[in-house]
Amino acid sequence: MHSRVRRLGRRGGLLLMLAVLWAGVAAQVAATHAPYDVADAVLHERIPTDWRVGLWLTCAIIMAAAAVAGTRDPRAQRIGWAAALIMPAERAVGYLWSVTMIGVPGPPPGAVSSLAGLAEWCVVTAIVYTLAGWDEDVTDALAYKEGEP
């Protein structure tokens, strides 16, 4: 078991942990059953709950599969990191739209409270983007032979 975890590498391990986190967000979205701000112009809140849960879970599954597939070919993790960027960016764009709608007259109104969500999901997106771009020395993983410690 230890050798398998070591072969995941830092990027693969982080991708796997993020996949678990994304699955947790999917569970949270499923548990709430309703958007937080129905009256506000938060775009991702207007997507049906089933779709949002499905998107979070699909990204989580792709991320986990790519992390594990990356033990054989580290380039496979690129797909997982691309999937990891989708949902935080979707949230950031949703809150950005709400903040933009503050200055636009008419319904649906924007919300100043969306600034916190915008900041939060921009930071999460930036963190995932930064982690996705980290180089990792994969020579140990590629040189690994079955039966070696």
Side-chain angles (χ1 to χ4, degrees):
M1 181 66 181
H2 178 65
S3 63
R4 172 64 84 179
V5 172
R6 189 177 70 209
R7 286 181 60 207
L8 276 175
R10 289 181 299 255
R11 287 172 36 97
L14 287 169
L15 190 57
L16 199 55
M17 286 188 280
L18 284 175
V20 171
L21 185 62
W22 271 216
V25 173
Q28 180 186 14
V29 170
T32 58
H33 296 293
Y36 298 120
D37 301 318
V38 176
D40 293 335
V42 181
L43 287 181
H44 67 269
E45 296 286 341
R46 298 185 174 277
I47 300 172
T49 303
D50 294 342
W51 279 84
R52 292 187 333 172
V53 170
L55 287 169
W56 280 103
L57 280 177
T58 300
C59 288
I61 291 167
I62 291 170
M63 291 161 62
V68 173
T71 61
R72 292 196 180 108
D73 183 6
R75 294 173 294 185
Q77 290 180 357
R78 291 179 187 163
I79 296 167
W81 285 107
L85 281 168
I86 293 171
M87 296 312 291
E90 175 256 352
R91 289 263 174 129
V93 168
Y95 284 119
L96 176 63
W97 182 256
S98 178
V99 170
T100 303
M101 291 302 289
I102 293 171
V104 178
V112 176
S113 61
S114 293
L115 282 169
L118 175 62
E120 173 187 357
W121 288 102
C122 281
V123 168
V124 171
T125 303
I127 289 170
V128 171
Y129 184 77
T130 301
L131 292 174
W134 272 359
D135 287 331
E136 182 167 3
D137 183 15
V138 296
T139 54
D140 288 341
L142 295 176
Y144 178 82
K145 294 189 177 22
E146 197 66 38
E148 289 182 0

